[in-house]
Amino acid sequence: MIGIKGIDGGPAGGSSSASRARLKIFLGYAPGVGKTCALLAAGRRLRDAGVDVVAGFIDTRGRSGTAELLEGLEVLSAASIAHSNSSRAGFDLDAALARRPGALLLDDIERPNAPGSRHARRWQDLVELLDEGIPVLATLDVFRLESLNDVVLQIAGARVRDTVPDSILERADERELVDVPPGEIAARGATSGAAGPAADPFADPGTLLALRELALRRAAEKVDADIRTYRRDHAIGTTWPASERVLACVGPSPSSAGVVRAASRIAAGLRSPWAAAYVEAPGARPMSGEDRERLQAHLQLAESLGGEVVRLSGRRVGEELLRHAQEHNVTRIVVGRPTHSRLRDLLKGSIVSALVRGSGGIEVHFIAGGEEPGPPARTSRVSRPVNWPGFLLALLLVAAVTAGASLVRTFLPDTEIVMVFLLAIMVVAFFFGRGPALIAAGLSVAAYDLFFIPPLYSFTVADVRHLLTFAMMFAVGLAISSLTGRLRRQGNEARLREQRTADLYALVRELAGASEEEPAAGIAARHAAMAFGGNAEVLLRDPAGELRIASASDPRVRLDAEATAAARWVGEHGRPAGRGTETYSDAPVVCVPIAAGESVLGVLALWPAGRVPADAEQ
């Protein structure tokens, strides 16, 4: 039995708060592992420590050992003790709220309540108890989690009816894994009735092994989260290699595909989680359409191989990657060998050098991935149009400044005239961009030399010191144009983020007022259609597991046969398909899954007005 300190062993790290009651869950992988016995043993320890413990609902399943552990504990009522799975015993929520014990023991939180009860499920009673400030110790089997419903169906061949939302397990301050070998469960003969009255699919040894692995992973997730919280609270920057975690550094380079595959192989060999990270520098020049599509293909490859996609933002790529690695306790970083010249490293800095120097205890793996062809562009690359009005206005503005300065040159020293030209360059850069600003800088140097430096009206320079002035004028003009262009890009990015935030806020605000599936689906379809300028349709699963149309932004638009096949494939595999993807690419729609954890609840079908939104953020 693996335990984590908390209710009966002192405070534990995590997201607990003093403003609400604590929850401890005894997590098992199948009936018969001993969850109820572990629950009662913990209750007896708390009672011996002076805590007011009450058994709210306990199912002894007719076992004498379980009944003995129950002896001496206060029971909420005789009707709350069951002696078999078929018993009609139930939990009295109102009696528990009136009694307000220091700790309440609650067995089998997935069970339905009796007809007429305030809540349909016992886990809903548990939530109300916690909200009212009553600490709870409860039991749960991992195959009862809603997100694992489809996974358990594939493993055991039976769908579990009584499930619990994953948020209940995530809300737990502690998870104690109750674990015994599968052979011991078979010897007890205790798995009957786990999923229904039919032949028990949970008695197979292979099924038990798979469920045991799921339970171990869920318990390890909590331990990993506690480690990250402790490291953050104590400002620990060094890596703790208690478990392996791999990070792949991804970019638009064609060789990044090899980095992603290498990271996947390394993580598979270590049986560890991994992620693919891309760092976007704020204010940097936007990528070309071809580079952006290649980057998106690399991120989609990482997702298809089971990796997590992480988008970071920072001016220094290497430092941002190291910061993320240290925060998430990454033990290995996989990066491609640089293929550019050393001059670029000298001018812009080397990402590889930054990773090696700052890695500390993190291993850095270099992958010599060959140049791979990127995905074919879906549309021809359009060259940026020449800003002829900007160039013309730059010429006119420099001419006007030259004429004005010539009229007042007797009153202004040469240094003031230089500042007037720099002001003109800044104005051109701000309103017309970098290209016209560079033209304005060159024309300003030429005009200053021709009309203000002796000998006049000649490009000959009598004093070589003026050459430094010319160089400084052009360099300052270049710097001003670069900074102004960066500010313009940052301003555009800020407006885009503001618009996305406003769209998300409007969506969340409307969804908060929707209590049923149909209105929520209608809201989602309408906002998706508004965001991408087309039509959208939301398909949800019916009780039989088939997709049905829940709502559409335009009722006149319907899925054809190919689009229906794409939507069905998305519902089964949980990955995007349709127009712009590699699956059902000829379909007129792009379909994306609506998922909760590992369970696909439905599909969003989108008819975009223009190009398919290739950005993962969109």
Side-chain angles (χ1 to χ4, degrees):
M1 191 182 299
I2 302 172
I4 304 171
K5 288 187 176 181
I7 292 178
D8 58 342
S15 59
S16 61
S17 174
S19 60
R20 66 169 177 84
R22 294 176 64 82
L23 169 63
K24 179 174 183 176
I25 289 183
F26 294 85
L27 184 66
Y29 64 90
V33 297
K35 300 183 302 299
T36 306
C37 291
L39 173 70
L40 293 173
R44 294 175 73 89
R45 289 195 300 270
L46 288 173
R47 182 203 59 183
D48 296 342
V51 179
D52 180 20
V53 179
V54 172
F57 175 84
I58 299 294
D59 189 350
T60 66
R61 293 171 175 81
R63 297 175 187 150
S64 58
T66 306
E68 290 176 1
L69 287 173
L70 183 60
E71 292 178 2
L73 291 175
E74 180 183 345
V75 177
L76 189 63
S77 66
S80 64
I81 303 299
H83 299 289
S84 69
N85 287 333
S86 60
S87 173
R88 292 182 176 273
F91 172 60
D92 191 340
L93 175 61
D94 291 326
L97 293 173
R99 175 63 176 78
R100 297 194 66 82
L104 185 78
L105 309 182
L106 201 58
D107 202 11
D108 298 337
I109 60 174
E110 77 282 350
R111 288 196 183 184
N113 286 326
S117 300
R118 181 153 69 249
H119 300 302
R121 299 284 176 177
R122 191 166 299 153
W123 62 263
Q124 296 172 306
D125 296 338
L126 180 148
V127 172
E128 185 169 344
L129 289 167
L130 295 176
D131 292 341
E132 292 295 326
I134 300 176
V136 177
L137 289 81
T139 64
L140 177 67
D141 281 316
V142 71
F143 62 80
R144 299 287 185 181
L145 293 174
E146 176 62 36
S147 68
L148 297 178
N149 201 268
D150 293 338
V151 176
V152 174
L153 175 61
Q154 295 177 10
I155 293 173
R159 186 174 293 278
V160 179
R161 294 192 302 270
D162 299 328
T163 59
V164 175
D166 289 52
S167 58
I168 299 298
L169 185 63
E170 294 168 0
R171 183 172 180 174
D173 301 281
E174 307 165 58
R175 302 176 195 177
E176 183 168 310
L177 178 64
V178 185
D179 183 56
V180 297
E184 188 172 334
I185 297 179
R188 295 176 184 178
T191 61
S192 180
D200 183 13
F202 293 86
D204 178 71
T207 299
L208 292 176
L209 285 173
L211 295 178
R212 189 185 192 190
E213 182 178 6
L214 290 176
L216 288 168
R217 289 184 180 275
R218 290 291 169 152
E221 287 175 2
K222 176 61 176 174
V223 177
D224 189 57
D226 289 342
I227 290 177
R228 289 200 303 269
T229 301
Y230 182 87
R231 285 164 47 83
R232 183 178 64 249
D233 293 343
H234 292 78
I236 299 175
T238 58
T239 300
W240 287 2
S243 62
E244 297 285 351
R245 188 177 296 270
V246 181
L247 180 68
C249 305
V250 178
S253 170
S255 62
S256 287
V259 174
V260 170
R261 297 189 185 98
S264 176
R265 291 194 301 269
I266 294 173
L270 298 171
R271 298 185 63 81
S272 65
W274 69 284
Y278 164 68
V279 181
E280 185 170 359
R285 182 173 296 278
M287 287 187 293
S288 65
E290 183 179 352
D291 284 345
R292 182 167 292 277
E293 289 188 6
R294 190 184 296 114
L295 171 64
Q296 182 61 21
H298 296 157
L299 297 179
Q300 289 177 351
L301 175 63
E303 287 185 333
S304 67
L305 295 176
E308 176 189 1
V309 171
V310 179
R311 286 179 176 263
L312 305 173
S313 178
R315 293 293 305 165
R316 299 184 180 274
V317 176
E319 293 180 1
E320 190 64 27
L321 289 169
L322 287 173
R323 183 193 63 79
H324 176 82
Q326 291 168 355
E327 287 182 355
H328 292 78
N329 206 27
V330 170
T331 57
R332 300 169 189 255
I333 296 178
V334 183
V335 62
R337 291 186 183 274
T339 57
H340 50 261
S341 64
R342 292 182 180 271
L343 178 61
R344 180 179 173 184
D345 288 340
L346 294 175
L347 295 176
K348 297 186 177 181
S350 171
I351 299 175
V352 172
S353 178
L355 290 176
V356 172
R357 291 178 181 274
S359 59
I362 304 175
E363 296 184 16
V364 181
H365 296 249
F366 298 97
I367 305 300
E371 295 290 323
E372 301 180 15
R378 301 183 185 97
T379 58
S380 59
R381 186 176 176 180
V382 180
S383 60
R384 185 174 299 176
V386 179
N387 187 7
W388 292 115
F391 290 123
L392 178 60
L393 291 173
L395 174 62
L396 294 177
L397 182 59
V398 172
V401 169
T402 302
S406 298
L407 295 176
V408 297
R409 61 174 302 176
T410 56
F411 305 101
L412 292 178
D414 291 345
T415 55
E416 300 296 337
I417 294 176
V418 170
M419 296 304 296
V420 174
F421 277 111
L422 290 178
L423 178 62
I425 296 171
M426 185 170 60
V427 171
V428 172
F430 182 80
F431 287 102
F432 305 110
R434 185 175 183 178
L438 292 178
I439 295 298
L443 292 175
S444 296
V445 171
Y448 181 66
D449 180 21
L450 190 63
F451 296 102
F452 299 97
I453 300 299
L456 300 180
Y457 315 116
S458 171
F459 288 109
T460 304
V461 179
D463 191 345
V464 294
R465 290 181 299 177
H466 290 299
L467 295 177
L468 179 61
T469 303
F470 300 155
M472 293 300 296
M473 280 184 64
F474 189 82
V476 171
L478 178 62
I480 290 175
S481 65
S482 299
L483 292 175
T484 306
R486 182 181 300 172
L487 288 176
R488 293 182 66 188
R489 289 193 295 271
Q490 290 178 342
N492 293 333
E493 292 173 0
R495 283 191 292 271
L496 287 175
R497 286 195 297 268
E498 182 181 0
Q499 181 61 43
R500 290 170 182 168
T501 303
D503 292 342
L504 289 174
Y505 174 73
L507 173 63
V508 172
R509 182 179 56 189
E510 291 193 43
L511 286 176
S515 58
E516 301 293 336
E517 283 187 351
E518 300 293 338
I523 293 169
R526 187 174 71 256
H527 278 270
M530 292 170 57
F532 298 108
N535 295 308
E537 199 168 73
V538 174
L539 298 90
L540 299 177
R541 293 190 183 279
D542 57 21
E546 296 295 328
L547 292 174
R548 60 177 177 84
I549 298 175
S551 184
S553 60
D554 187 349
R556 297 171 298 178
V557 179
R558 290 299 181 189
L559 297 173
D560 58 17
E562 192 167 14
T564 301
R568 187 178 296 112
W569 188 91
V570 172
E572 294 174 354
H573 296 83
R575 297 198 301 271
R579 178 180 166 191
T581 69
E582 296 181 356
T583 306
Y584 290 99
S585 57
D586 293 332
V589 299
V590 54
C591 299
V592 294
I594 302 174
E598 300 179 16
S599 178
V600 178
L601 306 180
V603 175
L604 172 66
L606 180 67
W607 287 262
R611 289 189 58 199
V612 177
D615 195 303
E617 184 177 2
Q618 291 180 299

